[in-house]
Amino acid sequence: MTHLQSELKQLKDELLTMWTLTCTQMHKSLEALVNNNKELASEVIITEKRINSFELKLDRDCENIIALYNPVAVDLRFVLAVMKINTNIERIGDIARSTAKFVVRTSSPYDIGILEKTRLLEIYEEAADLLEDCKEAFENENPDIAHKIFMRDELLDEINKASPMVIAEIIRAEPEKIEQCLDILSTIRRLERSGDHCKNIAEEIIFYIEAKVIKHSKKSEKGNL
Amino acid sequence: MFKLESKNVDVFYGSSQALKNVNIEIQNNTVTALIGPSGCGKSTYLRLFNRMNDLIDGIKIDGQVLIDGQDIYAKGVNVDILRKRVGMVFQKPNPFPKTIFENVAYGLRVNGVKDENFIRERVETSIKQVVLWDEVKDKMKRSAFELSGGQQQRLCIARAMAIEPSIILMDEPTSALDPISTSKIEELIHELKSKFTIVIVTHNMQQAARVSDKTAFFYLGELVEYGETKQIFTNPKQEKTQNYITGRFG
């Protein structure tokens, strides 16, 4: 293995560590929300700082590799992809922290009935799954998994689109729950956004492995390319 | 019509084959980089275009090598006239043991030019073209050996250009130079492209990426891949090319 190859492997390992940590953050923040576990939520908020540190370290490592090793072809695409994936994962980390902040702040546990009606649990689990699947695609250099991400994002869009009406109905019926409802609506919005981050990540994985740029092409084309 | 072209070219040194069925078409006013590991045939290929290989014992060349559509290995081709059209710059600067002025004037004199005013003008123009004028204008009568390596190499390029070739072949022209001189030569290649067709052999991958429009990758005498430099260095089609340019080779 050349020096560059060992640097790239280290970069990949580091990104995967950050990725695993972010997946865990997603699961823990959901668990904290469902069980109103403020201690777990605080842990998520503290751990988010580690994700930020990873982001800075990975950016610096990418910069060093480009400056010192002048990577080309697949190696260059890999480094460029890592830089962008890194940013997207960090944003997803922020989403987990936002949920945790709501849990720490709320005076009463979130109503499970509202969580079910708004399909928050469903969208949360799907968002976490998408992130896990992106990780698998990257780790195993499997573009097929990445191509499927674009179609799966539809469920997130659907739940997000329906949520304002559902929330409005709940607020009308139970106006005292308005604060909870606003937190939930905001969380759903963010989770829909995390689906977009996963799509960005999938695009980068395809760029790195297949040297194809599929940004801004239609969803159906992305799935079939 | 292409400026340079090779069709089904095979080259043998005795019983060993140095080039195998090489087909390349090179456009006018472009820079083409030839890359590949030592012994891959890239220098042999470069030297086909000014028939430098003719002097090697036991060499056999099959196929066609064309300049402006003319087969330069056809019967009756005057090699001296051919070499006026095809200048060459070598790995190590090789100025003659003459003054700076006479080095550049040499090609004109051996080609029978007698008009001293014409020679002076051409020498000045050539030296200006290689961006050496400001450094040597006050010492034209001094020996070329007094110049630094980078200056000597630019002088050699000026010498090649003085007889106004349309093609310049460069065989690792910066491998003996420091980074500043290297960057001056690379800038120069970029400038000269508008007037000449340049083919450069280089072991420096970044240099190939920086200076050339097209890149040809040779391996074991075969042309593995030939394409736009941008494409070769971002998304090569052949696995061998990718392995070579990313250093995974072997």
Side-chain angles (χ1 to χ4, degrees):
Chain A
M1 193 183 272
T2 64
H3 201 159
L4 171 61
Q5 296 314 309
S6 64
E7 290 284 332
L8 295 177
K9 188 183 177 305
Q10 213 175 314
L11 194 68
K12 183 174 183 177
D13 290 346
E14 210 158 16
L15 183 69
L16 286 171
T17 309
M18 177 194 189
W19 213 319
T20 307
L21 189 62
T22 311
C23 289
T24 310
Q25 289 280 91
M26 287 292 280
H27 292 302
K28 283 186 175 173
S29 59
L30 175 61
E31 196 188 325
L33 180 81
V34 173
N35 301 323
N36 195 34
N37 186 338
K38 292 185 188 297
E39 204 177 316
L40 189 60
S42 302
E43 187 193 314
V44 169
I45 294 167
I46 292 165
T47 308
E48 209 272 330
K49 289 200 175 93
R50 276 188 65 204
I51 295 177
N52 291 348
S53 308
F54 267 115
E55 187 199 15
L56 295 174
K57 170 90 172 40
L58 279 157
D59 271 351
R60 203 168 51 238
D61 290 347
C62 289
E63 187 186 344
N64 287 341
I65 289 173
I66 290 170
L68 302 178
Y69 300 96
N70 300 302
V72 292
V74 66
D75 295 342
L76 177 62
R77 295 200 304 272
F78 176 79
V79 176
L80 295 175
V82 167
M83 284 181 86
K84 292 194 177 173
I85 291 172
N86 180 28
T87 307
N88 282 286
I89 293 178
E90 194 276 333
R91 296 269 166 83
I92 296 175
D94 288 344
I95 292 168
R97 183 195 54 186
S98 301
T99 305
K101 275 185 165 175
F102 285 150
V103 175
V104 169
R105 200 193 60 193
T106 188
S107 49
S108 56
Y110 286 94
D111 187 322
I112 296 295
I114 298 178
L115 297 182
E116 276 170 6
K117 260 189 212 160
T118 53
R119 298 170 75 188
L120 179 93
L121 303 181
E122 203 180 330
I123 192 174
Y124 222 118
E125 274 163 12
E126 183 63 9
D129 276 357
L130 281 179
L131 185 63
E132 299 257 13
D133 288 351
C134 284
K135 177 171 168 267
E136 194 191 333
F138 178 80
E139 190 168 9
N140 302 320
E141 298 180 2
N142 185 337
D144 294 343
I145 299 176
H147 280 293
K148 285 179 188 142
I149 298 289
F150 303 108
M151 303 310 285
R152 286 180 52 198
D153 172 63
E154 275 173 9
L155 178 65
L156 275 65
D157 288 344
E158 180 199 314
I159 296 174
N160 177 50
K161 252 187 201 164
S163 63
M165 291 298 286
V166 179
I167 291 283
E169 246 174 59
I170 298 167
I171 291 173
R172 270 194 290 271
E174 302 173 83
E176 71 282 2
K177 301 236 166 105
I178 188 161
E179 243 176 65
Q180 278 204 12
C181 285
L182 291 177
D183 286 354
I184 288 167
L185 185 63
S186 151
T187 305
I188 289 173
R189 288 257 183 278
R190 289 196 174 102
L191 291 168
E192 190 275 331
R193 187 75 199 110
S194 94
D196 294 340
H197 289 305
C198 286
K199 281 194 288 183
N200 293 344
I201 291 171
E203 284 169 358
E204 292 306 320
I205 293 169
I206 289 161
F207 166 70
Y208 145 53
I209 300 169
E210 298 184 338
K212 284 182 193 155
V213 177
I214 54 167
K215 272 181 196 172
H216 310 303
S217 48
K218 284 180 192 157
K219 197 180 271 188
S220 55
E221 288 169 5
K222 286 179 179 180
N224 295 331
L225 273 167
Chain B
M1 194 202 306
F2 295 102
K3 186 71 189 171
L4 299 169
E5 208 174 341
S6 69
K7 289 183 181 171
N8 311 110
V9 165
D10 293 313
V11 175
F12 298 87
Y13 293 125
S15 60
S16 82
Q17 190 165 2
L19 288 174
K20 297 170 192 168
N21 194 31
V22 178
N23 291 284
I24 291 186
E25 291 160 342
I26 296 174
Q27 299 274 10
N28 198 16
N29 299 114
T30 56
V31 179
T32 303
L34 311 181
I35 61 168
S38 297
C40 69
K42 58 190 185 302
S43 288
T44 299
Y45 185 74
L46 182 81
R47 287 155 191 256
L48 285 175
F49 290 108
N50 63 351
R51 293 188 51 171
M52 284 274 287
N53 295 326
D54 290 13
L55 306 168
I56 299 167
D57 284 341
I59 193 158
K60 183 171 160 273
I61 300 163
D62 291 335
Q64 280 189 311
V65 182
L66 310 171
I67 294 181
D68 296 321
Q70 305 271 302
D71 186 348
I72 60 168
Y73 286 85
K75 268 189 182 167
V77 169
N78 182 325
V79 177
D80 291 337
I81 293 173
L82 167 73
R83 289 186 186 149
K84 267 175 74 178
R85 292 163 66 197
V86 187
M88 185 148 190
V89 178
F90 296 87
Q91 188 174 357
K92 281 189 186 156
N94 55 352
F96 301 139
K98 291 173 176 291
T99 64
I100 293 168
F101 183 91
E102 286 304 326
N103 259 278
V104 183
Y106 185 82
L108 298 167
R109 294 200 197 286
V110 297
N111 277 293
V113 180
K114 298 271 190 285
D115 182 344
E116 282 302 318
N117 281 336
F118 177 80
I119 292 176
R120 205 173 306 116
E121 268 174 33
R122 183 64 70 73
V123 168
E124 187 176 327
T125 311
S126 302
I127 294 180
K128 278 181 177 162
Q129 273 183 311
V130 299
V131 205
L132 189 62
W133 182 248
D134 288 342
E135 294 158 65
V136 301
K137 63 180 180 220
D138 301 324
K139 43 184 175 184
M140 297 293 280
K141 294 264 154 55
R142 306 278 285 271
S143 165
F145 293 141
E146 289 179 27
L147 299 174
S148 71
Q151 289 172 326
Q152 286 185 14
Q153 191 65 310
R154 277 181 285 152
L155 187 72
C156 292
I157 297 173
R159 186 177 65 195
M161 285 165 43
I163 51 167
E164 294 197 315
S166 56
I167 297 155
I168 299 181
L169 308 176
M170 296 183 167
D171 196 352
E172 296 183 55
T174 62
S175 63
L177 304 181
D178 66 83
I180 293 170
S181 304
T182 298
S183 120
K184 282 186 179 166
I185 302 276
E186 287 180 5
E187 284 300 311
L188 186 58
I189 291 171
H190 197 69
E191 296 283 317
L192 296 179
K193 197 171 80 172
S194 59
K195 293 197 176 74
F196 305 93
T197 303
I198 298 169
V199 185
I200 177 171
V201 163
T202 179
H203 274 297
N204 182 334
M205 223 73 72
Q206 272 68 47
Q207 179 169 74
R210 282 192 298 263
V211 304
S212 69
D213 303 297
K214 290 219 172 172
T215 296
F217 169 57
F218 286 82
Y219 184 59
L220 298 176
E222 282 177 30
L223 176 68
V224 176
E225 190 166 353
Y226 174 54
E228 297 285 333
T229 297
K230 274 184 197 151
Q231 174 253 314
I232 297 270
F233 282 91
T234 54
N235 184 21
K237 298 274 175 280
Q238 302 298 324
E239 203 180 340
K240 271 186 198 163
T241 315
Q242 172 137 300
N243 288 344
Y244 181 69
I245 63 171
T246 57
R248 287 178 175 85
F249 222 59

